[in-house]
C-alpha cells in the first residue's frame, strides 16, 4: 500500500536555489538552510518559506511552516 501525503503537509529542506525554485513550482513549503552551498542572499532569490542558520533550529522551523 502507499501513503499519499497532501502537498500542504510536505516540506523540502535545502541549501540550493535550484531546489527552492523547483519546490515553488510544485507548491511545497521550503526551508532554506545556510550550512550548505548557497548564501542567504542567493536562497532569498527563490522566495523560500523560511531560512534558518543553525541545524538546531530545524525542528521549530518545520513546525512553524506546517502551521
Amino acid at each position: 500500500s502507499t501513503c499519499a501525503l497532501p502537498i500542504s503537509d510536505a516540506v523540502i529542506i535545502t541549501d540550493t536555489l535550484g531546489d527552492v525554485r523547483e519546490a515553488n513550482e510544485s507548491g511545497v513549503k521550503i526551508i532554506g538552510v545556510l550550512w550548505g552551498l548557497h548564501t542567504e542572499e542567493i536562497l532569498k532569490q527563490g522566495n523560500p518559506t523560511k531560512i534558518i542558520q543553525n541545524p538546531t533550529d530545524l525542528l521549530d522551523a518545520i513546525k512553524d511552516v506546517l502551521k
Side-chain angles (χ1 to χ4, degrees), residues 26-66:
S26 66
V28 174
K29 294 174 183 90
I30 307 143
I31 298 173
V33 299
L34 299 179
W35 57 86
L37 185 62
H38 287 153
T39 64
E40 184 172 10
E41 293 76 25
I42 291 173
L43 288 175
K44 282 182 176 180
Q45 293 175 23
N47 197 31
T49 311
K50 187 174 200 76
I51 296 176
I52 60 172
Q53 293 185 5
N54 299 302
T56 55
D57 298 329
L58 190 53
L59 184 56
D60 287 337
I62 293 169
K63 290 176 183 178
D64 187 43
V65 300
L66 290 178

